[in-house]
Amino acid sequence: MNILLFIMLFFIVILLYNKKEFFLFSFLYTTYWFLNILFAEVFFSDYKFSELTYVLIIFSCISIFIGELLGTTKINKIENIKFSKNRLYTFIYVSFLIGLIFPIESLIINGISLSTLVSFQNLLEANNTMAVARYSEDVKTSTLSQITLVFLYLSPLLAGFANCKYKSNKIVIISLLPSLLVLLTQNTKLVFIACLLLVLVGRLTYFIVFKNRFPKISFKLLLKVIVGFFLFYVLMIFTFIARVGKFDENVVNESNSKIATYFAHLPALSSWLENYYQGEHHELLYGIETFFGIANFFGIAERKVGVF
């Protein structure tokens, strides 16, 4: 049954892709959840997902589509806005330089010498030190770190936009270097992942706002995505090597388990859906608590004092 529901969700993605100029948000929403369930099935291959999980995702996608169908209007292309390439690139380079301060300053205030960057062994030790400090909540930060972190995120966002506007891949690579340095020296993956997503957001913003369409999916683009995912996977394994100081099958398994946690919300949802109806403490309220104010006004239910 799950296979049929998965195929149904896949066909919904294909249908929305063909109409993405009119139902762009529905396409993005459905694609997002399709990729979630796809990777969840890969990383949790031994887990049997509840059919209710698929049904809930499919119905939510249909609901979003109906809402967009009823309320959307076609947006005209914005073509009269002029951009200064030099000014945009200046913003990116300035953000890059300020963002580069974040990983360097973080190492210094945590007592790690910059000489770790030129020795692989010292780099492994720095990773281990920062990982231990982070899990023991002993990482030192400063006001300067918080300010420079903003610019570390800003440069990939602007670079994603510039990549579409001026067809420059080099600017994207440059913008990701500060977050990559954080990944390699501090064993922190979230910063790098967030910057990759911001590049994607910048690209989508350009196409949606200024082209009124979704980026064209070509074989070359798919190849780049596959290569990019492979490089990301290699970086994930490297961070675990840096954390434990060795490379073996256990490190690979641990790395896979860590990546799997990024999609663990779906097995958790599936488990909740399967067990929700069991036990005397669970009952369906059909949205009463979601709309407690309205339900209380019409006398359907009495709203109790508290936070919901």
Side-chain angles (χ1 to χ4, degrees):
M1 185 63 179
N2 282 357
I3 295 177
L4 293 177
L5 292 171
F6 181 85
I7 294 174
M8 181 186 298
L9 184 60
F10 174 73
F11 274 111
I12 292 175
V13 172
I14 297 300
L15 290 173
L16 289 174
Y17 175 75
N18 293 329
K19 297 292 183 180
K20 59 186 178 299
E21 290 82 5
F22 300 98
F23 306 109
L24 183 57
F25 182 72
S26 299
F27 170 69
L28 292 175
Y29 180 88
T30 306
T31 302
Y32 171 80
W33 283 107
F34 172 76
L35 292 176
N36 267 266
I37 197 68
L38 173 64
F39 284 111
E41 288 280 13
V42 171
F43 286 105
F44 295 92
S45 56
D46 296 333
Y47 181 82
K48 185 181 185 304
F49 285 85
S50 167
E51 289 84 358
L52 286 172
T53 307
Y54 278 93
V55 171
L56 180 64
I57 291 175
I58 290 174
F59 268 98
S60 70
C61 295
I62 294 174
S63 298
I64 292 293
F65 169 74
I66 292 174
E68 192 170 21
L69 177 65
L70 296 176
T72 192
T73 55
K74 188 172 178 61
I75 303 174
N76 295 324
K77 296 180 183 178
I78 301 176
E79 298 177 338
N80 57 345
I81 297 180
K82 302 297 182 181
F83 288 95
S84 168
K85 181 178 180 180
N86 291 335
R87 184 175 299 177
L88 178 59
Y89 272 54
T90 299
F91 274 125
I92 295 173
Y93 285 127
V94 170
S95 298
F96 160 74
L97 291 174
I98 297 176
L100 195 59
I101 298 174
F102 173 78
I104 297 174
E105 197 255 355
S106 295
L107 290 175
I108 293 174
I109 65 175
N110 283 280
I112 299 175
S113 172
L114 295 181
S115 62
T116 58
L117 302 179
V118 297
S119 170
F120 183 72
Q121 184 60 40
N122 290 339
L123 183 63
L124 295 180
E125 293 176 0
N127 268 266
N128 181 262
T129 301
M130 292 297 292
V132 171
R134 187 170 63 254
Y135 285 114
S136 60
E137 298 183 355
D138 194 32
V139 175
K140 296 181 178 65
T141 59
S142 68
T143 302
L144 180 62
S145 296
Q146 297 173 11
I147 295 174
T148 54
L149 184 61
V150 174
F151 290 92
L152 183 147
Y153 288 131
L154 178 60
S155 55
L157 180 64
L158 296 175
F161 181 90
N163 174 249
C164 294
K165 181 69 176 176
Y166 302 111
K167 311 300 182 185
S168 173
N169 293 323
K170 181 177 70 174
I171 197 68
V172 173
I173 296 174
I174 292 174
S175 71
L176 290 173
L177 290 179
S179 60
L180 182 61
L181 187 59
V182 173
L183 176 68
L184 296 177
T185 60
Q186 302 181 31
N187 211 273
T188 303
K189 292 169 279 295
L190 179 60
V191 174
F192 184 68
I193 294 172
C195 287
L196 289 176
L197 292 176
L198 285 170
V199 171
L200 177 61
V201 170
R203 288 179 56 84
L204 287 176
T205 300
Y206 173 79
F207 279 103
I208 293 173
V209 176
F210 296 97
K211 295 294 185 180
N212 192 31
R213 65 176 178 84
F214 193 78
K216 294 180 180 179
I217 298 178
S218 62
F219 176 78
K220 184 178 180 180
L221 178 61
L222 291 176
L223 185 61
K224 287 182 178 179
V225 171
I226 294 173
V227 172
F229 182 81
F230 175 76
L231 292 176
F232 172 75
Y233 180 71
V234 171
L235 282 173
M236 290 299 102
I237 294 179
F238 173 79
T239 59
F240 282 98
I241 295 174
R243 179 179 298 179
V244 300
K246 62 180 181 179
F247 177 68
D248 54 23
E249 185 179 352
N250 290 332
V251 172
V252 176
N253 291 334
E254 186 179 354
S255 178
N256 289 333
S257 298
K258 180 62 178 180
I259 297 175
T261 59
Y262 300 143
F263 306 97
H265 52 283
L266 282 176
L269 173 63
S270 178
S271 178
W272 180 81
L273 288 171
E274 283 186 310
N275 298 296
Y276 182 81
Y277 302 105
Q278 300 177 11
E280 58 183 10
H281 300 293
H282 300 294
E283 60 175 323
L284 294 176
L285 297 178
Y286 301 101
I288 289 178
E289 289 190 350
T290 304
F291 304 100
F292 231 148
I294 299 174
N296 182 75
F297 178 80
F298 287 105
I300 299 174
E302 181 181 354
R303 181 175 182 176
K304 301 176 182 178
V305 177
V307 179
F308 298 91

